[in-house]
Amino acid sequence: MARGEGACLVCGKSLVYTEKAEKLECQMCHQIFESYACCEDGHYVCDICHEKKGVEVIMEETGKTTSVNPIEIMQEIMENPYIYMHGPEHHILVGAALLAAYKNAGGKVDSFEDALEEMRHRGSEYPGGACGMWGCCGAAVSTGIFMSIILKATPLTGKSWGRANRMTARALEAIGEAGGPRCCKRDSFKAVTEAVNFVEKELGVKMELPEKICCTFSDENAQCLKARCPYYKNYESTKYGAIRKVSSDPALLQ
């Protein structure tokens, strides 16, 4: 599997979406799944195989970070080659970065290891492509999962149930306002920004956000909104793996 502008992890070509789910064989595990997407050449990789290595990276890095800035945590993890441009691993990454930053900022988490594992479990159940097929982006849902975990919300709780749902709604509204096509990086940045502000207002725990969020992944996204994305204009693009120049400030070189 390799990162690249095309979304297919087998050949690098673009994905094709259908209006109805079809039975497809995963090229990695060879199990049969129902899916709305395969690449132009018919290759299909299931969510489990797609996210497996990336989730391992997410769990390891969020488990040891000391940062109180969830955007910073996410961007560092996103540079790993197993975190692809798009994919269901972002449904875990958003909430895991928030959990880590929240705990590091003094937020109450009874057992961080258990909370992180629960984030992995719940996030992995949310399917890839739901942003378009269900009208509910997994990055937004991940913020609701995060809120549910720290507040111990269930279908039978009161205030915590409401907060978890309002969190998802706020993140989803911000993502929807940007318009499509989908971008897992842009959607993750939007969702986390909303979550940081929501948590400070509702729970009094102050995490940090960068003064500017500078996306460095445009060259990997064939559907990048370019100038219409609020995170695109803050950097000069180069191919993945090269040094990315962010404005003229040496402190922002990556």
Side-chain angles (χ1 to χ4, degrees):
M1 298 186 188
R3 289 165 60 144
E5 191 173 281
C8 179
L9 302 186
V10 178
C11 67
K13 293 186 178 180
S14 299
L15 296 186
V16 177
Y17 288 89
T18 58
E19 292 183 2
K20 294 182 179 180
E22 300 176 355
K23 290 186 177 180
L24 298 170
E25 179 183 349
C26 175
Q27 296 292 308
M28 304 299 169
C29 67
H30 301 292
Q31 295 186 62
I32 303 298
F33 298 86
E34 286 194 346
S35 176
Y36 292 91
C38 63
C39 85
E40 296 170 353
D41 285 350
H43 299 132
Y44 165 72
V45 177
C46 72
D47 284 355
I48 297 171
C49 291
H50 191 293
E51 70 184 18
K52 182 178 180 181
K53 289 289 187 180
V55 171
E56 292 175 2
V57 173
I58 292 166
M59 297 295 284
E60 179 180 356
E61 295 303 319
T62 55
K64 67 183 182 182
T65 183
T66 60
S67 175
V68 297
N69 187 324
I71 296 289
E72 177 184 80
I73 295 170
M74 282 202 309
Q75 285 183 309
E76 183 174 347
I77 294 173
M78 285 173 176
E79 291 288 351
N80 188 281
Y82 286 113
I83 306 296
Y84 304 109
M85 180 63 224
H86 308 292
E89 57 268 31
H90 295 83
H91 305 168
I92 299 170
L93 175 58
V94 167
L98 285 167
L99 273 173
Y102 177 79
K103 184 260 295 183
N104 294 337
K108 182 181 178 182
V109 182
D110 287 346
S111 171
F112 179 64
E113 292 76 14
D114 290 346
L116 198 57
E117 176 57 28
E118 188 62 23
M119 185 67 238
R120 183 204 62 77
H121 173 71
R122 297 188 197 182
S124 66
E125 292 189 324
Y126 201 76
C131 54
M133 309 311 295
W134 292 5
C136 192
C137 176
V141 173
S142 193
T143 67
I145 296 173
F146 153 73
M147 188 64 64
S148 173
I149 290 172
I150 63 173
L151 297 181
K152 300 181 179 180
T154 76
L156 300 180
T157 54
K159 192 172 184 179
S160 60
W161 183 95
R163 279 174 163 165
N165 280 273
R166 286 194 293 120
M167 178 67 265
T168 300
R170 281 189 56 161
L172 194 59
E173 179 70 16
I175 289 169
E177 285 181 350
R182 59 85 174 91
C183 172
C184 287
K185 301 301 188 280
R186 181 191 70 231
D187 297 346
S188 295
F189 295 151
K190 287 274 186 182
V192 166
T193 299
E194 292 297 320
V196 169
N197 293 329
F198 187 81
V199 166
E200 183 176 3
K201 179 180 178 181
E202 295 283 327
L203 305 179
V205 177
K206 185 176 178 59
M207 294 177 272
E208 294 180 359
L209 290 171
E211 184 177 344
K212 286 185 178 180
I213 299 175
C214 306
C215 179
T216 59
F217 300 96
S218 178
D219 288 334
E220 297 178 54
N221 185 6
Q223 293 84 35
C224 179
L225 296 180
K226 306 293 184 182
R228 291 192 291 122
C229 175
Y231 313 122
Y232 174 79
K233 62 184 178 180
N234 296 324
Y235 80 104
E236 295 177 8
S237 175
T238 64
K239 287 296 181 183
Y240 177 74
I243 293 177
R244 299 184 175 98
K245 183 180 180 182
V246 185
S247 75
S248 58
D249 185 353
L252 296 178
L253 291 178
Q254 297 189 39

